[in-house]
Amino acid sequence: MRRLVGRLARDLLVIPLTAFLVYQLAVRLPLVEDNDAKSRGVADLAEKLRARLGADEALGFLRPWQRLFGAAEADGRLPTIGENPAYDRARLGEALAGSLTVGGLALGFALCIALLFAGARVLLGGRRADGALELLPTIAYALPSFVVTVLVVRFVEDAANDAVAAAVVSIGPGVFLGAVLHDALRLEMERPYARVALAKGRSRLGVLVKHALQNALPSLLDAIPPVATAILAGSFVVEKQLLNREYFGAIYVDSALRGQAQIEVMVVATTTFAAILVLVSLAAELVRLLVDPRRRSAAAEEANS
Amino acid sequence: MNRVFRLRGLAGAGWLLALTIAAGGCSGKKKGGEGSGGANACDQPRKEVRLAISSLPNTLDWSASNESSAQNYPVILAMMRGLTRLDDAHQPVPDLAETWEVATDKDRHQVYTFHLRKDVVWSDGKSPLRAKDFVFGWRRAIQGNEPAEMADIVGGDAVIQARERKELAPADREAAVKKALDNFGVVAVDDHTLKVTLKSPRSYFLTRIAYVYTYFPAPSHELEPLEGKGDQAIRAYFNQPRDGRPLVLGGYRLETWDQVGQKVVLTKNPHGPLAAEARAVEKLELVQAELSPLLYDQCKVDFVFMDDPAALSGSMSGVSRKPLLSTYFLVFNASKVAPALRKAIAMALDRPALMKGLLPEVRPAVTFLPPELPGAIAADDPLAASFPKLDREAAKKAVAEAGYKGEPLTLMVRAKGTFLPEVGIAEAVKAQLATIGVNVTIQPSANLTNDIRAADGTTRVHMYMRRLGADYAHPQTFFTLFQARGNHYSEYDKLDGGKVLAELEKLLEEGAAETEPAKMRAAYARAQDLLQSKQTLIVPIFYPDRYFRTRPWLEGIGVDPFNFLTFRTMRVKQ
């Protein structure tokens, strides 16, 4: 538990640090946009951009957050930060909820794919069908989500819905988690306790579900945080580039493409995703604490001492 | 080991398979001719239309505007109108102004008196257009982000200078600007008469007010009460639509602008020029989208620009082409390339051969100004006789005269954010110049504005290529680049101690002040001669076109000569 609290404190420190660094990096890029302007205006574009970003102000790094959290005026209109209006928080909330739905569904699908894939391979161990399944990770890794999406939008009538987006994103990570889980399960099935249970006449499925799976889960949990990152990155591409969903991923991709013109969104989106990944990592740790017998006993010893 | 090879081989095969199918999905049409929405969804005429564009507006406050204004034009031109509009020959004809008179006052100022139409109302259906709406809008424009557009009006320079007085405290500066505005030459004589006084005659004024949106009127009766709350309240009025606001005069009004999802929704203005048009589109959505050709094939959008040279090299069925008032040309750095070498390069380029295979159709350029531009000259005009033409033998002699020793000349081109195959054109230029013994090193740039300038403000490269488009239908717009504050990066302003720049400025002033068309054309022809022949600072290459696809049941949608998506007269075909 102490380790968990320490990790949480460390990660929470990383979030504002990420926001600060992204802002500093962005304002230090050459502050000129490539444009076809025929002549120079009254104020230099770079100078105006620096002023808008608060680049020369001591608390300038708070500017993106002002734009996000600016309260609406009495008439319902949003306040203006620099020359741009603050973001509509309800609309941003909808976008974030959309992305989290896709991401959450994708993580769920990925776990289902992992369990089915690993379970099938253990149960089919040594047979010809298992040999065929062995090829699946190779194919899945060779097909990034954008390629799968192109195929899906070509053949699926209404591809632009959350479940399809989640399914597309989950294939690669799901098979990866499945491969990790399969290795762990195979080792567990070769341990003496599993062999004894099988010798006593228990079915392979029974041993797998009741004994081996619980001991193999920590390996799966270790792999979830990096996979969550891959799922989020995949969902950005799928949401924006191909399915044209106006979710947070789309906003993030847009802001990155538009560079300093959207620095506020870059900072806010990067920080939000950093926070989400920290939460996923924390959730994985908590689940590990609940399901891993070795952690449970270690936590009990820690509590007793 | 074998297993590793087998897996790698399978991975490669997987990629190949996926990309083959994906490429088929991107480029080929589906069964029935259209995308996943099915043929019917695409072919069925609708009054709700969705358009894909690469950049959405950064502001819809047409008076204050933004330094990067190009992306605002499609929406603002659909929402608003000016005193004049351009006819099919790009000539100004009446729009919000019914008639006008032009006179010269005792100070030799040019005075325009516009008589406004009396039947025009704002989109609330009850507020009439008044002359003071122009006064309010133009006074905001000179205080906005594109004040130079208003600099020809008497008193405009004084306002701009007052804004630049950085030594003053903000409150004092504001007071100085207000005082200067008292002498700004835009006056509402009565509700329907507007008087505009220009510093001196300007032959481009009527064409400029047709298209440059900072000249459009603003609904002063709604904005005046907001003035006390500061300019931010007025910006919010334009940029955060609600309750039918902002009021407009064009065919469409702004319904929503989702700045998070990057989407603009426009609906037909019930009191605008399309009000009685039964076939007008009722609602249209503009979305910012990557890979928009794919969305077009899927019936998710009804208009798409075709900018990918690979896509244009295939079948052109269903693809429309629009000639632009625009020129693609090569610019020399006068400090680094000797005059004789500049002349040699201008004579060595075979334009049609240069563009072969790069675009479906090409209009090679001899003159800097596109011949379709009012006030321009044709390639065979006697005034263009001295412009450099293809002559490789003369070019080789000029190279020898220039004492060129074979050192590579750097040529910078845009590698990003362009709809032209610029790197391909640069490769062809390099190959053609090699035939006269000139070596070229191509420098593709993702940010030409940044990369072309050294820290000391000088130009890094020997030459660069760019596209220049008209902002309005007049020769003056093409020469803005080469004026004193222009972003020409040619360093020609240093030639002869600034005498060449002064000569050009004099010719431009002559052209701008001339009201007789033949004399005006001659003045601008001499300005071209200075840049193309006498100094050989530029080499016109071709006049670009824009390609797009739209549904066959739509008309009035396309690209205008200024390279903006236009849909102000869009309707469903009968």
Side-chain angles (χ1 to χ4, degrees), chain B residues 297-528:
Chain B
D297 279 343
Q298 292 168 4
C299 293
K300 293 195 172 91
V301 295
D302 301 305
F303 174 93
V304 67
F305 282 112
M306 299 289 290
D307 293 336
D308 178 10
L312 290 173
S313 65
S315 165
M316 294 296 285
S317 167
V319 178
S320 302
R321 180 175 77 97
K322 175 73 189 183
L324 304 178
L325 288 175
S326 176
T327 309
Y328 190 75
F329 59 106
L330 184 140
V331 185
F332 293 106
N333 178 350
S335 301
K336 289 190 172 174
V337 187
L341 191 54
R342 302 202 295 260
K343 190 79 106 189
I345 291 171
M347 289 189 290
L349 294 179
D350 177 356
R351 276 76 156 181
L354 202 63
M355 303 299 297
K356 206 172 177 185
L358 291 174
L359 289 167
E361 283 185 60
V362 178
R363 296 181 292 145
V366 173
T367 56
F368 177 45
L369 301 181
E372 300 79 17
L373 186 77
I377 52 170
D380 56 359
D381 192 296
L383 292 170
S386 62
F387 294 3
K389 296 183 180 71
L390 179 65
D391 187 343
R392 289 259 163 84
E393 289 312 309
K396 281 179 189 167
K397 275 185 197 167
V399 170
E401 279 170 27
Y404 174 69
K405 300 278 189 286
E407 63 276 14
L409 304 182
T410 45
L411 169 62
M412 187 172 274
V413 283
R414 280 202 164 85
K416 201 181 138 191
T418 170
F419 65 91
L420 298 172
E422 298 202 33
V423 176
I425 299 169
E427 294 284 358
V429 166
K430 179 179 175 174
Q432 289 199 0
L433 293 185
T435 63
I436 60 161
V438 173
N439 298 318
V440 173
T441 305
I442 298 169
Q443 291 189 359
S445 166
N447 190 340
L448 188 136
T449 316
N450 243 18
D451 297 343
I452 201 164
R453 283 183 300 189
D456 60 2
T458 56
T459 301
R460 286 180 202 271
V461 294
H462 291 91
M463 349 177 235
Y464 73 97
M465 295 199 290
R466 68 164 288 165
R467 185 187 75 83
L468 188 67
D471 290 342
Y472 47 94
H474 193 278
Q476 191 78 18
T477 182
F478 279 85
F479 291 101
T480 309
L481 185 77
F482 293 97
Q483 289 186 285
R485 291 170 73 93
N487 292 327
H488 49 80
Y489 309 124
S490 68
E491 303 199 358
Y492 91 102
D493 45 335
K494 296 175 187 167
L495 291 176
D496 248 353
K499 280 185 187 160
V500 178
L501 172 65
E503 190 182 347
L504 182 74
E505 293 273 16
K506 189 167 166 267
L507 286 169
L508 298 183
E509 180 56 37
E510 205 178 302
E514 188 54 65
T515 49
E516 200 180 309
K519 286 184 180 170
M520 183 188 85
R521 188 178 293 113
Y524 285 116
R526 288 201 297 279
Q528 285 187 86

Side-chain angles (χ1 to χ4, degrees), chain B residues 150-367:
Chain B
M150 296 277 157
D152 286 330
I153 298 173
V154 158
D157 286 339
V159 179
I160 293 171
Q161 281 161 14
R163 289 182 61 187
E164 286 180 331
R165 291 182 65 185
K166 298 270 191 289
E167 79 279 7
L168 297 180
D172 294 338
R173 193 160 56 228
E174 202 176 315
V177 169
K178 265 193 176 163
K179 197 176 166 197
L181 278 171
D182 291 342
N183 298 317
F184 189 47
V186 187
V187 179
V189 177
D190 59 42
D191 274 356
H192 295 100
T193 311
L194 179 74
K195 195 170 102 176
V196 182
T197 309
L198 304 184
K199 287 185 292 192
S200 53
R202 286 288 174 259
S203 55
Y204 51 78
F205 185 65
L206 289 175
T207 187
R208 202 169 185 182
I209 56 177
Y211 228 81
V212 177
Y213 63 57
T214 47
Y215 285 104
F216 293 166
S220 58
H221 62 286
E222 299 235 322
L223 300 178
E224 273 166 351
L226 296 176
E227 275 192 301
K229 296 180 184 173
D231 204 46
Q232 294 198 344
I234 300 183
R235 280 177 195 282
Y237 174 86
F238 288 102
N239 292 333
Q240 296 182 45
R242 53 171 30 208
D243 308 328
R245 269 68 180 171
L247 295 186
V248 297
L249 298 169
Y252 292 93
R253 65 182 185 186
L254 184 61
E255 194 66 29
T256 59
W257 181 8
D258 180 353
Q259 299 215 19
V260 177
Q262 292 291 307
K263 182 169 77 175
V264 169
V265 178
L266 300 170
T267 51
K268 190 171 94 172
N269 172 8
H271 306 284
L274 297 174
E277 175 56 75
R279 292 186 292 122
V281 168
E282 297 288 336
K283 179 183 173 186
L284 61 101
E285 280 184 23
L286 287 103
V287 291
Q288 183 172 313
E290 312 298 324
L291 298 179
S292 41
L294 187 66
L295 295 178
Y296 186 85
D297 279 343
Q298 292 168 4
C299 293
K300 293 195 172 91
V301 295
D302 301 305
F303 174 93
V304 67
F305 282 112
M306 299 289 290
D307 293 336
D308 178 10
L312 290 173
S313 65
S315 165
M316 294 296 285
S317 167
V319 178
S320 302
R321 180 175 77 97
K322 175 73 189 183
L324 304 178
L325 288 175
S326 176
T327 309
Y328 190 75
F329 59 106
L330 184 140
V331 185
F332 293 106
N333 178 350
S335 301
K336 289 190 172 174
V337 187
L341 191 54
R342 302 202 295 260
K343 190 79 106 189
I345 291 171
M347 289 189 290
L349 294 179
D350 177 356
R351 276 76 156 181
L354 202 63
M355 303 299 297
K356 206 172 177 185
L358 291 174
L359 289 167
E361 283 185 60
V362 178
R363 296 181 292 145
V366 173
T367 56

Side-chain angles (χ1 to χ4, degrees), chain A residues 29-49 52 67 72-96 121 131 134-139 141-144 146-160 186 237 240-248 250-258 260-262 265, chain B residues 3 6-8 10-12 14-15 17-19 21-26 28-30 36-38 50 56-58 65-68 71 145 147-148 160 163-164 166 226 229 232-233 235-242 245-246 258-263 285 287-291 294-295 298 300-301 414 416-417 445-450 453 466-472 477-478 480-482 484-489:
Chain A
L29 291 171
L31 279 168
V32 175
E33 294 172 332
D34 191 22
N35 65 32
D36 273 339
K38 292 172 185 164
S39 61
R40 294 181 287 280
V42 166
D44 186 55
L45 197 63
E47 191 188 320
K48 285 203 76 172
L49 200 54
R52 205 199 88 197
R67 195 160 175 219
E73 305 282 349
D75 64 358
R77 287 207 164 90
L78 298 165
T80 304
I81 311 295
E83 285 192 355
N84 302 83
Y87 278 98
D88 181 337
R89 265 183 282 168
R91 180 68 189 83
L92 267 178
E94 274 172 31
L96 185 57
R121 284 209 63 192
E134 195 183 347
L135 297 177
L136 201 57
T138 311
I139 295 168
Y141 302 156
L143 286 175
F146 75 88
V147 174
V148 180
T149 315
V150 172
L151 301 177
V152 167
V153 292
R154 182 161 157 75
F155 296 114
V156 177
E157 190 66 25
D158 181 20
R186 205 184 54 196
V237 175
K240 169 66 188 170
Q241 307 295 90
L242 293 159
L243 301 180
N244 211 32
R245 311 295 287 161
E246 289 154 2
Y247 289 162
F248 218 65
I251 297 165
Y252 193 59
V253 171
D254 261 343
S255 63
L257 288 174
R258 294 169 73 192
Q260 284 139 334
Q262 289 282 299
V265 187
Chain B
R3 187 166 178 264
R6 197 176 73 205
L7 291 179
R8 281 186 184 165
L10 282 167
W15 261 105
L17 175 73
L19 290 175
I21 301 171
C26 286
K29 285 204 170 185
K30 300 189 160 196
S36 58
R50 207 160 192 246
L56 280 179
N58 48 40
S65 191
N66 186 287
E67 291 87 350
S68 304
Q71 64 217 68
N145 288 313
I160 293 171
R163 289 182 61 187
E164 286 180 331
K166 298 270 191 289
L226 296 176
K229 296 180 184 173
Q232 294 198 344
R235 280 177 195 282
Y237 174 86
F238 288 102
N239 292 333
Q240 296 182 45
R242 53 171 30 208
R245 269 68 180 171
D258 180 353
Q259 299 215 19
V260 177
Q262 292 291 307
K263 182 169 77 175
E285 280 184 23
V287 291
Q288 183 172 313
E290 312 298 324
L291 298 179
L294 187 66
L295 295 178
Q298 292 168 4
K300 293 195 172 91
V301 295
R414 280 202 164 85
K416 201 181 138 191
S445 166
N447 190 340
L448 188 136
T449 316
N450 243 18
R453 283 183 300 189
R466 68 164 288 165
R467 185 187 75 83
L468 188 67
D471 290 342
Y472 47 94
T477 182
F478 279 85
T480 309
L481 185 77
F482 293 97
R485 291 170 73 93
N487 292 327
H488 49 80
Y489 309 124

Side-chain angles (χ1 to χ4, degrees), chain B residues 16-238:
Chain B
L16 201 62
L17 175 73
L19 290 175
T20 307
I21 301 171
C26 286
S27 61
K29 285 204 170 185
K30 300 189 160 196
K31 279 180 225 166
E34 290 292 358
S36 58
N40 286 342
C42 286
D43 296 340
Q44 191 69 44
R46 279 171 275 119
K47 289 201 171 177
E48 294 195 1
V49 169
R50 207 160 192 246
L51 315 175
I53 51 177
S54 55
S55 293
L56 280 179
N58 48 40
T59 181
L60 291 176
D61 181 350
W62 54 82
S63 304
S65 191
N66 186 287
E67 291 87 350
S68 304
S69 59
Q71 64 217 68
N72 306 328
Y73 270 89
V75 178
I76 293 177
L77 290 176
M79 287 163 53
M80 282 302 295
R81 298 153 67 188
L83 286 163
T84 58
R85 65 177 178 81
L86 298 181
D87 65 10
D88 292 341
H90 313 308
Q91 297 288 355
V93 291
D95 193 0
L96 293 176
E98 216 161 29
T99 57
W100 57 81
E101 293 110 38
V102 192
T104 306
D105 70 8
K106 60 179 172 43
D107 299 318
R108 298 195 56 75
H109 296 147
Q110 190 175 35
V111 182
Y112 280 87
T113 306
F114 293 98
H115 302 282
L116 304 184
R117 282 174 53 175
K118 292 180 178 140
D119 58 346
V120 179
V121 290
W122 289 93
S123 52
D124 59 358
K126 55 187 182 189
S127 313
L129 172 71
R130 294 195 175 109
K132 69 173 189 175
D133 295 336
F134 287 91
V135 177
F136 189 91
W138 294 17
R139 285 167 71 104
R140 275 196 78 229
I142 190 93
Q143 299 172 76
N145 288 313
E146 294 196 284
E149 299 289 356
M150 296 277 157
D152 286 330
I153 298 173
V154 158
D157 286 339
V159 179
I160 293 171
Q161 281 161 14
R163 289 182 61 187
E164 286 180 331
R165 291 182 65 185
K166 298 270 191 289
E167 79 279 7
L168 297 180
D172 294 338
R173 193 160 56 228
E174 202 176 315
V177 169
K178 265 193 176 163
K179 197 176 166 197
L181 278 171
D182 291 342
N183 298 317
F184 189 47
V186 187
V187 179
V189 177
D190 59 42
D191 274 356
H192 295 100
T193 311
L194 179 74
K195 195 170 102 176
V196 182
T197 309
L198 304 184
K199 287 185 292 192
S200 53
R202 286 288 174 259
S203 55
Y204 51 78
F205 185 65
L206 289 175
T207 187
R208 202 169 185 182
I209 56 177
Y211 228 81
V212 177
Y213 63 57
T214 47
Y215 285 104
F216 293 166
S220 58
H221 62 286
E222 299 235 322
L223 300 178
E224 273 166 351
L226 296 176
E227 275 192 301
K229 296 180 184 173
D231 204 46
Q232 294 198 344
I234 300 183
R235 280 177 195 282
Y237 174 86
F238 288 102

Side-chain angles (χ1 to χ4, degrees), chain A residues 209-229:
Chain A
V209 174
K210 287 199 174 167
H211 303 288
L213 187 59
Q214 195 180 22
N215 290 327
L217 274 181
S219 303
L220 181 68
L221 291 169
D222 279 340
I224 283 179
V227 163
T229 312

